[in-house]
Amino acid sequence: MQSRAKVPSNDDFYGYDAINLKMYLPYFSGIWLGVEWDDPQRGKHDGTYEGTQYFKCRHPRGGSFIRPNKANFGVDFLTAVKDRYGLNDQGVQHGTENTLVLGKKTVEFVGMDSVAEQQSQLNRLVDVSVHGCAVSHAGQKEEIGRTCPNIRHINLSKNLISSWETVTAIASQVQNLETLNLSENKMKFPSTSTSESSVFSKLRILALNQTQITWTEVLLCAPGWPALEELYLTSNNITVLERPDNVLQTLKLLDLSDNQLLDGNQLHLIAHLPRLEQLILRNTGISSIHFPDAEFGCKTKMFPSLKRLTINDNKISQWSSINELDKLSSLQSLQCHNNPFMDTEKNPETLRQLIIAKISQLEVLNKSEILPAERKGAELDYRKIFGNDWLAAGGNWNPEKNKPSEEFLAAHPRYPSLCLKYGAPEEGELKGRQPLTLKNQLLSKSIFLVTFLSSPLTESMTIQRVKGLLYRLLKIPGSELKLSYESSKLEGKEVELDNDLKPLQFYSIENGDCVLVRW
């Protein structure tokens, strides 16, 4: 046999295990169970004893032998619900119509109200969480539906469910099931395509994190999820994808985080999901993103509805992948922390400006809104910073002679559109200019005065943002800048601006005050 059970350890952490078979071991009396631990560090061998292999393990030291009384094979769903919500009537026996029997004592009508209240509470349950409650099977047929008819959302994560058939047996009794979390259940999934049925007809959100499901198995189950909108598949060792033909067409969110995909080209196989709005690819090992169906300056047909993309903690090292994201016609939000390409620019403010300038329709970057003024500043700066490179590559103010090289356009695909939007950078903009007179006067003292006005500095700007603006002017990293200010209301006193996360208004700076910058 093979099933799931839990075994408590000394530190009260429950290990979830695959119980493979009952057996007799030489030189030891009684029955033993062969166990493959979910956490292989708890094991001792691969299922072999005295040269005989009694069962197989995925990990060479993931197996153990234990006594049957050490294993808990779980409870049915409804028992777990009653235990979880303190509604279990275990030990209470119903006697005649007008009595309750408590142990050996019979009491007339006592407790009848509490039984009715218990039933009423079960009837009212809409959101049910039995996380970690050792649920292993559905229980008696139709009992869940009779007892809890209003359930819509179920959290069954970290239980002892070993097969998709068990999930179906539970869900078939919940007519209006909308959300189902099955994470951390090591399950066996169907090996052939499942037919569309009414069991999951209203299911919108499904979490299958850490269930060992493959993408092939996802597609085999998917015909039974005709209304699914959100699918979470993190940490399943998924490496390759397949194109979902006629399934998952209603999907709006897909989370493949912590699966080491073979390469970025795997994304092409899911690129034609028509309603996919959010794709989460945190720590998937991808090193590049490319949409080969579109030239630079054109929009790809892939991911037509994608608005939000998360690619944190990956191996993307080239800015060309960021250029590619401008091909996505609907992209509005991007999270891209902890990728090697971000190490090419030490100043975080400049890094942010570069990404904004490269992706035209982006509205939110790393959870921070991009305001129109910030976008305009980023695009104007980009146009100036790479202006000399544009000229060197064949760019020209004369439209008839303006023929920048393909190499330049590959590195800066948005540059032509920025020139159309703001005009080509003028010659004076690209020549080295002397700093402002005030800066020249004080440079030897490494101090710079900025008069606080309503523009370009605003009260809501953080100190970090001000340092970013100063970096663009002074080319000195924000970490080397020390800010303070003087006010006519605080004559003779200088106030240090020492918290980068606080806005200027936190320090009560007003129009006419002077910010002092030292480095």
Side-chain angles (χ1 to χ4, degrees):
M1 72 169 186
Q2 187 171 17
S3 60
R4 303 278 297 164
K6 73 176 182 180
V7 183
S9 63
N10 293 333
D11 58 2
D12 293 329
F13 172 79
Y14 284 97
Y16 289 77
D17 328 292
I19 306 299
N20 285 277
L21 69 163
K22 293 181 180 179
M23 66 195 69
Y24 293 92
L25 297 177
Y27 312 114
F28 292 94
S29 62
I31 296 176
W32 294 78
L33 299 179
V35 176
E36 182 179 3
W37 299 92
D38 284 359
D39 179 5
Q41 293 184 357
R42 297 186 66 182
K44 297 180 179 179
H45 49 69
D46 64 352
T48 300
Y49 176 74
E50 295 289 335
T52 300
Q53 186 160 28
Y54 291 89
F55 63 95
K56 294 182 179 180
C57 292
R58 289 180 296 273
H59 192 278
R61 294 187 62 82
S64 296
F65 296 111
I66 65 169
R67 292 294 191 182
N69 62 357
K70 296 291 186 181
N72 175 2
F73 288 92
V75 298
D76 65 85
F77 176 79
L78 201 53
T79 296
V81 171
K82 292 178 179 180
D83 287 344
R84 171 66 177 80
Y85 294 97
L87 301 174
N88 204 324
D89 58 359
Q90 186 174 1
V92 178
Q93 304 174 40
H94 297 280
T96 64
E97 184 177 357
N98 297 324
T99 65
L100 281 179
V101 180
L102 303 177
K104 296 181 179 179
K105 186 177 181 180
T106 300
V107 183
E108 289 188 359
F109 297 108
V110 174
M112 294 302 292
D113 290 342
S114 64
V115 173
E117 176 62 23
Q118 177 196 103
Q119 187 62 47
S120 175
Q121 291 183 48
L122 289 170
N123 282 335
R124 291 198 299 266
L125 285 176
V126 175
D127 300 308
V128 171
S129 175
V130 284
H131 169 85
C133 292
V135 176
S136 60
H137 57 285
Q140 294 183 13
K141 190 176 182 180
E142 299 183 1
E143 186 179 9
I144 298 172
R146 286 195 303 266
T147 309
C148 304
N150 293 309
I151 293 178
R152 292 178 180 269
H153 313 283
I154 300 177
N155 181 355
L156 268 168
S157 60
K158 203 169 186 180
N159 277 286
L160 303 178
I161 297 173
S162 59
S163 71
W164 187 251
E165 286 78 7
T166 300
V167 176
T168 302
I170 294 173
S172 63
Q173 302 181 56
V174 184
Q175 294 184 354
N176 297 307
L177 185 62
E178 297 179 11
T179 304
L180 180 59
N181 186 351
L182 297 166
S183 301
E184 298 182 81
N185 286 284
K186 302 295 188 294
M187 283 187 288
K188 184 177 181 181
F189 292 89
S191 57
T192 58
S193 181
T194 58
S195 59
E196 185 173 341
S197 68
S198 60
V199 175
F200 300 102
S201 62
K202 297 181 181 179
L203 187 66
R204 296 186 302 103
I205 302 172
L206 176 61
L208 293 169
N209 305 321
Q210 299 182 54
T211 57
Q212 298 182 345
I213 193 171
T214 66
W215 184 254
T216 299
E217 290 169 338
V218 169
L219 298 185
L220 290 175
C221 292
W225 311 328
L228 195 65
E229 296 181 0
E230 298 182 14
L231 179 59
Y232 299 86
L233 297 170
T234 69
S235 304
N236 279 310
N237 295 319
I238 294 172
T239 57
V240 294
L241 303 176
E242 302 172 43
R243 184 164 179 162
D245 293 323
N246 301 319
V247 293
L248 303 179
Q249 300 301 294
T250 58
L251 203 63
K252 294 182 179 181
L253 181 152
L254 177 61
D255 189 350
L256 289 168
S257 298
D258 299 314
N259 292 290
Q260 297 303 299
L261 298 178
L262 188 63
D263 53 47
N265 291 333
Q266 295 297 313
L267 303 182
H268 299 166
L269 298 169
I270 57 172
H272 298 284
L273 292 171
R275 300 184 185 179
L276 189 66
E277 296 180 358
Q278 184 170 0
L279 181 59
I280 306 173
L281 299 170
R282 188 180 298 107
N283 187 32
T284 54
I286 58 174
S287 58
S288 64
I289 297 174
H290 181 47
F291 304 115
D293 66 321
E295 299 293 331
F296 289 118
C298 301
K299 297 300 182 182
T300 178
K301 294 181 180 180
M302 298 184 182
F303 297 106
S305 302
L306 190 65
K307 296 179 180 180
R308 297 178 292 280
L309 176 64
T310 299
I311 51 174
N312 294 346
D313 305 310
N314 278 294
K315 301 176 182 178
I316 299 172
S317 58
Q318 302 297 321
W319 280 95
S320 57
S321 292
I322 303 303
N323 293 336
E324 288 287 318
L325 297 181
D326 189 52
K327 295 180 180 180
L328 293 170
S329 59
S330 302
L331 187 65
Q332 298 175 359
S333 175
L334 174 67
Q335 294 184 49
C336 57
H337 282 306
N338 299 328
N339 279 283
F341 81 87
M342 302 187 74
D343 297 333
T344 61
E345 175 54 58
K346 294 183 178 180
N347 185 274
E349 187 68 27
T350 301
L351 181 69
R352 178 178 171 86
Q353 302 288 319
L354 289 173
I355 298 172
I356 292 172
K358 284 179 174 289
I359 307 176
S360 59
Q361 68 276 20
L362 207 60
E363 298 177 3
V364 179
L365 176 58
N366 292 325
K367 299 184 178 181
S368 177
E369 184 182 3
I370 301 169
L371 298 176
E374 183 181 18
R375 170 163 292 285
K376 183 176 181 180
E379 292 178 341
L380 286 171
D381 278 358
Y382 190 93
R383 171 177 151 277
K384 294 177 184 177
I385 290 171
F386 297 101
N388 287 321
D389 294 342
W390 171 68
L391 290 174
N396 198 288
W397 291 282
N398 185 339
E400 295 180 358
K401 298 180 179 180
N402 181 31
K403 297 179 180 180
S405 67
E406 290 186 8
E407 183 180 1
F408 176 84
L409 293 176
H412 308 283
R414 281 210 70 214
Y415 203 88
S417 63
L418 293 179
C419 288
L420 288 174
K421 186 175 183 178
Y422 301 106
E426 297 181 5
E427 189 173 2
E429 293 181 88
L430 304 181
K431 289 183 179 180
R433 295 181 299 167
Q434 290 296 318
L436 298 175
T437 303
L438 182 57
K439 179 186 172 186
N440 283 340
Q441 293 174 348
L442 300 175
L443 191 59
S444 61
K445 298 180 181 180
S446 294
I447 189 170
F448 181 39
L449 302 182
V450 181
T451 302
F452 178 68
L453 303 170
S454 58
S455 178
L457 302 184
T458 62
E459 291 182 341
S460 60
M461 274 190 179
T462 63
I463 303 304
Q464 183 176 356
R465 182 61 59 86
V466 174
K467 287 183 177 181
L469 294 174
L470 289 169
Y471 171 79
R472 289 161 57 187
L473 177 63
L474 304 173
K475 301 304 178 186
I476 296 172
S479 59
E480 299 179 17
L481 298 176
K482 294 183 178 180
L483 275 60
S484 58
Y485 85 96
E486 293 179 344
S487 172
S488 58
K489 295 182 178 181
L490 301 170
E491 189 171 351
K493 185 176 180 180
E494 185 176 329
V495 179
E496 186 177 358
L497 307 178
D498 55 357
N499 190 331
D500 285 358
L501 301 180
K502 295 293 185 182
L504 289 170
Q505 62 187 6
F506 175 81
Y507 294 96
S508 301
I509 301 178
E510 299 178 351
N511 291 348
D513 292 347
C514 288
V515 176
L516 291 78
V517 186
R518 294 181 174 84
W519 62 92

